Amino acid sequence: MNLYLRYFDQETLVTSVDEAINFLSAIDEIGMNPVLEADIRDYAASEVYYPKRYKVRPRVYFIIIKTEAATMEDFKEKKAVHSVPIVTPKATAPALVKLNEIRPGWYEGMLDFKRVLMVPGTGKFQYRDTQFIANVKAESGMDCYNRIVEHLRERVDDRSQFPSAKGKNFKFRYLGAAK
C-alpha cells in the first residue's frame, strides 16, 4: 500500500509511513509533532481507504490517500484505484424481514421521536427528542410500531414527528408468546 500526500502544489507518492513523515516534516507550515505522526501511522495501518485530511490552519489542509498505484502517473490516471465492496440490498433485507415477520406475542418497542412541547416561560413551542418504550401485544414488529405510533398520536401534539419503522429510531424485540 502506497501513500499519496499533497499540500497545495507539493505532492508525493511514497511507499512507507516514514517517507510520508519525512515529506511532511520538510514543510515548515505543517508543524510535524508526535501526535500528528502517531495519527498518520494509525491511518496508514488501518483498513480505512477513504482520503484523510489534516487541518494546518483555518481552511488550509493537507491530504493523505491510500493507493495501490506504483507511480505518480498511475495514480494520476487512476489505474490502481482500490475497489470498495458494493453493498447489495440483500444485506439490509434481514432487518426488513424481521420487521414484517408474523410472530404473535409480546414485543418491547422503543421509539425515538420529535415531540412538540410548549416552553412555559415564553409560550412558544419547540421540538424535543423523546424516547418512548412500551410493551405491546402485537402480530409483528411492524404491528408493534403501528400500535405505538397510534397510541402516541392520541396523546401528543399533532405537529410531533415520528420516524420510519425501518429507520434507526425504532427498535423492537420479541419478548415471547402471549398467554
Side-chain angles (χ1 to χ4, degrees):
M1 180 65 47
N2 295 331
L3 298 171
Y4 169 79
L5 293 97
R6 181 172 167 184
Y7 180 71
F8 288 108
D9 60 346
Q10 300 176 43
E11 63 183 358
T12 188
L13 185 70
V14 296
T15 58
S16 71
V17 179
D18 292 326
E19 290 177 43
I21 291 170
N22 288 340
F23 171 77
L24 294 171
S25 296
I27 303 171
D28 292 333
E29 292 178 15
I30 291 178
M32 181 57 71
N33 59 46
V35 174
L36 180 59
E37 181 179 337
D39 194 54
I40 292 170
R41 288 186 189 281
D42 289 344
Y43 170 71
S46 72
E47 294 295 318
V48 176
Y49 282 93
Y50 60 83
K52 179 116 181 187
R53 71 179 190 172
Y54 292 91
K55 190 173 195 173
V56 176
R57 59 181 188 272
R59 297 187 304 259
V60 176
Y61 300 87
F62 72 87
I63 63 166
I64 301 177
I65 300 173
K66 289 183 180 180
T67 181
E68 303 286 333
T71 65
M72 186 67 81
E73 292 79 30
D74 288 348
F75 178 78
K76 295 283 184 172
E77 294 175 11
K78 298 179 182 171
K79 288 184 179 176
V81 176
H82 178 75
S83 61
V84 177
I86 298 170
V87 177
T88 61
K90 292 179 182 177
T92 59
L96 295 177
V97 169
K98 282 182 74 176
L99 184 65
N100 293 316
E101 178 184 5
I102 302 297
R103 194 171 176 194
W106 286 98
Y107 288 83
E108 178 185 60
M110 183 174 69
L111 184 72
D112 294 327
F113 69 102
K114 301 277 187 192
R115 183 176 184 178
V116 173
L117 294 172
M118 184 174 71
V119 178
T122 63
K124 294 183 179 179
F125 293 88
Q126 70 179 13
Y127 286 101
R128 289 256 173 99
D129 290 329
T130 305
Q131 186 175 72
F132 183 80
I133 301 173
N135 290 340
V136 179
K137 189 174 182 182
E139 299 292 316
S140 66
M142 190 66 188
D143 188 35
C144 172
Y145 170 82
N146 290 335
R147 289 176 187 243
I148 288 173
V149 170
E150 181 181 314
H151 173 79
L152 290 171
R153 285 198 194 277
E154 296 172 3
R155 289 165 175 78
V156 297
D157 193 294
D158 291 338
R159 296 171 288 182
S160 297
Q161 298 174 354
F162 298 100
S164 167
K166 300 172 189 172
K168 65 180 181 177
N169 291 323
F170 173 67
K171 295 178 183 70
F172 70 93
R173 69 183 175 116
Y174 181 71
L175 299 175
K179 293 181 182 179

